[in-house]
Amino acid sequence: MDQKRCCKGNGSSGHMCGHDEYLKQIRGRPISEIETPALMVDLDIMEANMDKMMQFLEHSGAGVGIRPHAKTHKTPEIAMTQMERGALGICCAKLGEAEALAEGGVPDILIANQIVGERKIRRLVALSKKPGLDLKVAVDTRENLEDISSEAARQGGRVGIVVEVEVGLRRGGVRTVEEAVELAKLAATLPGVWYAGIMGYEGHAVFMPDYEAREAAANRSYDILLGVRDAIKEQAGLDSGIVSAAGTGTFAFAAKRRGLTDIQAGSYIFMDLRYGQTAGVDFANSLAVVATITGHPEPDLYICDAGLKSMTKEFGTVAPLPSYGLKVIDMSEEHITLGPDKAPLQLPSLTELDQKYAKPAKRPLGVGDKILLIPSHCCTTVNLHDLLYAVRDGKVEDGWEITGRGRFV
Ligand SMILES: Cc1ncc(COP(=O)(O)O)c(C=O)c1O
């Protein structure tokens, strides 16, 4: 691994990388040789997902771009790939993630969340002074904006302010148009900050199972957001540079709305079982946890070395790729037990990964063999791992330190 990009090289993530020697040995080797449980991404599939999203946005013709959410991958190498493939900038949720992305060279970062408290604001402003970095943060109260401004004026930093508007999720965001206009005016006049635009995330809509209901809910949110944009223009004379919304479940609706500047989708690059089962989300699973079968003590029972410490399950049970013909029986901290399944979960989004890795796998499976398990939620599963294996044609092309992992402070 490039020393500069490894956490040991940049010295700020607080833990040792220690993967360099191992990666030297494993680069170019088949994934059957990696130590497990391990997180892998199939690069061809991930890159195709990125390109598909870009093409969709271009063809929809409303001028909506992408500012992908890095909460999904937390990995500067992937953020840089997204930038190289046309992203306008990168979103993240946490100051620690922003620091990790900036350390990895990402030039344009929107923290799509509130950063509150004296010490954190000090860190935020310090980060904004990084040469070549355009740093923006979501703000939804006057107090927070004034705190950021006075610290920025004191330190000599410059923070872009994106006014967050509540559009139905009932999370962050101003509740009234008047507040949005007031914050935009203030951001445009206070020292140390500049008015960068508005955002409103329709997280209540992204997983709605009914496609039409989801579209209607998303459009109601965009109506609110675009109404606020117009009010800021009319009442404060300010153009909103950024008008940002949407996730992987709603990008297709946002892409049609002229006036939105970008979508904040994150999961589309990796996918997971939940998004694989969400109507209209037409990307392919690229992310898997590679596990080793460590026991086969009964004809119908396999034990592997993944578990709750390498895969999350708040969005439901994880699943092996369908062609193994197995299903999860139980999941504990360091074990997953599997048994035969005559009707494994077949999702269109799994087809490519299945064809590449599970179909050609040796049969019958036995102790020591590797299997690929698909997370039910990609973002929180990534957060459990230090290293992401970047795999092409079944071989390890690289290993990327997930430097934003655990950086939720
Ligand atoms: C502020 C914000 N934007 C966008 C997203 C979209 O992410 P995803 O593509 O994973 O749905 C999220 C998800 O939590 C979010 O919190």
Side-chain angles (χ1 to χ4, degrees), residues 36 216 224 375:
T36 63
I224 297 172

Side-chain angles (χ1 to χ4, degrees), residues 65-341:
I66 185 161
R67 191 177 302 277
H69 211 307
K71 77 192 171 72
T72 301
H73 55 72
K74 301 163 185 289
T75 307
E77 281 84 351
I78 296 185
M80 293 305 278
T81 306
Q82 291 176 308
M83 294 294 294
E84 281 153 21
R85 287 170 184 254
L88 299 169
I90 300 293
C91 282
C92 63
K94 296 294 176 137
L95 182 54
E97 285 175 349
E99 289 166 340
L101 292 168
E103 282 154 15
V106 177
D108 186 318
I109 300 171
L110 164 59
I111 306 175
N113 203 354
Q114 283 67 47
I115 301 300
V116 171
E118 205 180 312
R119 296 177 80 90
K120 279 204 182 169
I121 290 176
R122 220 180 295 150
R123 266 170 64 203
L124 174 78
V125 172
L127 183 61
S128 80
K129 297 192 322 192
K130 186 177 193 295
L133 173 64
D134 178 350
L135 180 67
K136 297 173 275 289
V137 66
V139 163
D140 63 1
T141 64
R142 185 185 177 117
E143 296 71 28
N144 186 221
L145 175 51
E146 286 173 347
D147 289 346
I148 294 169
S149 165
S150 43
E151 179 60 22
R154 194 188 67 78
Q155 271 195 50
R158 196 165 145 72
V159 182
I161 301 298
V162 173
V163 177
E164 183 169 358
V165 180
E166 142 52 23
V167 292
L169 175 60
R170 298 192 66 213
R171 204 170 65 179
V174 295
R175 266 43 184 179
T176 65
V177 176
E178 293 70 32
E179 288 170 281
V181 174
E182 185 207 5
L183 288 185
K185 275 189 196 159
L186 269 179
T189 48
L190 287 175
V193 293
W194 58 283
Y195 173 60
I198 59 175
M199 65 161 274
Y201 173 57
E202 70 286 16
H204 59 295
V206 289
F207 289 120
M208 279 183 181
D210 184 283
Y211 191 79
E212 277 77 35
R214 196 184 328 145
E215 180 166 24
N219 275 319
R220 280 194 294 278
S221 297
Y222 310 145
D223 289 343
I224 297 172
L225 195 61
L226 292 169
V228 167
R229 180 201 66 158
D230 293 345
I232 290 172
K233 175 77 181 155
E234 281 156 25
Q235 296 170 40
L238 292 167
D239 284 312
S240 292
I242 292 174
V243 185
S244 188
T248 298
T250 48
F251 77 94
F253 318 129
K256 292 190 225 150
R257 292 300 296 261
R258 202 163 284 285
L260 296 182
T261 58
D262 55 81
I263 58 156
Q264 302 185 352
S267 301
Y268 73 103
I269 62 163
F270 288 160
M271 292 290 284
D272 52 31
L273 293 180
R274 193 173 191 198
Y275 264 133
Q277 294 170 90
T278 303
V281 178
D282 192 15
F283 296 96
N285 287 77
S286 64
L287 187 82
V289 169
V290 187
T292 303
I293 296 176
T294 54
H296 183 28
E298 299 169 25
D300 284 354
L301 193 70
Y302 295 84
I303 304 162
C304 75
D305 60 0
L308 290 167
K309 287 183 180 164
S310 49
M311 303 189 80
T312 58
K313 65 168 198 179
E314 74 282 356
F315 281 0
T317 313
V318 308
L321 285 172
S323 288
Y324 297 122
L326 295 173
K327 68 174 171 216
V328 172
I329 297 172
D330 195 19
M331 207 173 160
S332 53
E333 282 182 61
E334 312 291 3
H335 300 84
I336 293 179
T337 48
L338 303 130
D341 190 0

